[in-house]
Amino acid sequence: MTEATAVRPGVKRFIGIDWDFGALKSAGRTYWSFVAMLSIIAAIGITAWIIFMTQGAGVMAQRDGFTWGLWFSNYMYYVGLSAGGLVVYASVHLFGAEQFRPLSRLAVLQAGLLVMIALLGDLTDLIRPWRTAWMAITPNPTSPFVYTGSAAAAYMVLCFVDLWILITGKGGEKLAHRMTLIALPFAIYLHTTTAFVLALNKSRELWNTAMMVPIFLTSATASGVALLLICAYLMQRFGVFKFKSSMFRSLSTLLATVIILDLFLLVVELISVFWPMSAKPGHVDRMQMFLTGPYAWMFLPVFVLGIGAFALLAGRKTRHLPKIQIAASVMYVVAIFFKRYTLMSMGFALGPLGQYHPPYLPSLIEVFFALGLLAIALIFLTLGAKVLPLQVPEDEHAHGHGASLVESAPERAFEAG
Amino acid sequence: MNEESTSHPDSTAASLPQGCTLSRRSFIEGVAATAGLLAAGTIPGLLTAALPAVADASEGSTTLTGDEVLDPILEKDRPLRYPGKPVYYADPAGKQKWAMVIDTKACIGCRRCVYACVEENNIGRNSGFTYIQVLEMERGKIELESATLDYEEGGKPDKWYMPVQCMHCAEAPCVYGCPVKATWREPDGIVVIDYNKCISCRNCMITCPYDARHFNWVRPEVPKEEVNPDVPLEEKAFVVEKCTFCVHRTRNGQKPACVEACPVGARTFGDLSDPESDVSVLLKTRRVIRLKEELGTEPMIWYVG
């Protein structure tokens, strides 16, 4: 650490972190063109937001029949994706899964950024975002919205604090362990309350099922781990990180386990809806559209991609191949997007008075919101990968097993830095 | 550890029959209480599960002046999350408990209530919604899924019609769902929205089982000469709105616009706390139903057929 600081002049110290701005100067042309491309997408997103703010909510494709749109399915999706970061982080610091340690900083940063764009996505839907202050001033305790909103905001802060603790090494392994004990139940709380926003409505038969909560937890974990795996491969590809292949093997095993759990819960829900003596007409009518009609194209990929991803990861001879692992991960990340999207839009397919609405497709403005926010998160991640010391120092994971050594290693790094 | 793990199933096994006797006892108690209160001539408001049975029993024995029909309704009729903030464009709430009865046998589906409501309440002509939605249904069917909303003008004699609007539920899911307490139920039973507080999250539209709430996706436009000065217009841009039982009229002793406009007198509006009012008499003397009553929302609009 000392040598690194001495060699590179671009390193600046701020809030206990060595920000390596020098790395940006030495970054190549590809890196900057990627950042430029992201900036353009982000700018388009901001322009779309300005159009929305000046012209009103009519520029979106949402209407009374589709009360919520892409912003909400993305909220569920991003909040879910953030789970992967925590799973990895918790595995290291709670269960001692040392093979994930090199990934922990990246995982926490990714989780924080995802929750950030999830919350920003909510704000883009509100034409008077300042009124959300009422959520803090006069919160209604019976509204699940209050819980998921506050949980997401607190979780985002928690992630960034965690990242800071991991990088500075303040408090050593003990504090990292304690933070996990806070963060893990909190993450479950966040996913549960997000599911509750849908599940606690007796007016919407499709969502009004307790199964929503476990499905949210498994979908979140599966998609989150898959995204992390993709991210880790990309970072390795661009030479930012070096990971052991055993880490990828563990990640993909974890992924396969959660995928099959997720699919199992979905099948259980389908059976409980369609079984003749259990079927409730309202619920069946709505869920039937999962399988037939114009909504099916959104839902069937969930099954096809999900089973496909599991099959890829189950093959004993091929599952260790990076290409297979990446393909399965991409398939499941896409599958979960479709799952969130269908869940949201299917809930509106038949209104409370039984009126059919054709499938909702987001307007261009809404798509630009989503892309713009994604670009913003990616800019942060791309810059963070260069500037922030996300790579866990070699000595730290070499001594990861001995508790006393672990405690002293970050301390040393901190003092030296 | 071992002892604990072995004692665990034992304790659950022991608690199981106990739980059974408990529930049986409470069930018997409930039945006894119901019977006792029935004899006393009152219906306990808390025994929701027992209510339909009790109501049936009392209907058989009731005389035309039996007020016990109204008592459980009035008992549930209470303000919900009422912040004590006045509706600035209407008088303060009085002692009344507002309710409506719609006669589906009389309704001809002419939608005049809809048009009167649009004009009275400054609903944007470009907003694309109306507070009242009239469902056209086939004879012999009460099936919302096969009902038509956008039926041809006028109404047909071989169909029947069911106007649906905000039910001003005593257990309003929308009031429970609003994250910022921007909507509440007034002491006289009218569910209102604070247009200046609504954050436009539209969760109330998700929670409403009657599709009664509508969002202004555009700035509502009303021709200048048609603007009703008694009702807000500008404030309704990009917030949720719905039927208010014409709060600005009813609290001044007038009837809601839809009631006045109905050419066949299918709508009756009045005060439930007055046992002689039209709605009270209808509830006491006629067989009435409420839409989606099984959800426990306690709607304040009854249908009589």
Side-chain angles (χ1 to χ4, degrees), chain A residues 177-193:
Chain A
H177 180 85
R178 275 188 197 148
M179 283 302 283
T180 323
L181 287 180
I182 302 169
L184 195 59
F186 208 85
I188 293 171
Y189 172 73
L190 172 61
H191 299 302
T192 308
T193 48

Side-chain angles (χ1 to χ4, degrees), chain A residues 60-69 71 203-204 207 286 295 342-361 366, chain B residues 127-130 133 149 202 205-208 211-217:
Chain A
M60 301 196 286
Q62 302 170 66
R63 286 295 177 264
D64 277 9
F66 288 100
T67 320
W68 289 338
W71 67 276
S203 55
R204 307 275 168 176
W207 299 338
R286 282 160 178 83
Y295 281 92
T342 354
L343 188 62
M344 183 272 308
S345 70
M346 290 286 312
F348 299 118
L350 285 178
L353 293 183
Q355 305 303 309
Y356 175 79
H357 304 287
Y360 151 86
L361 285 175
E366 288 170 85
Chain B
S127 292
F129 61 78
T130 54
Q133 306 189 65
L149 273 175
R202 310 187 285 279
M205 294 167 69
I206 300 285
T207 55
C208 177
D211 205 10
R213 288 179 164 247
H214 309 278
F215 187 70
N216 280 293
W217 295 94

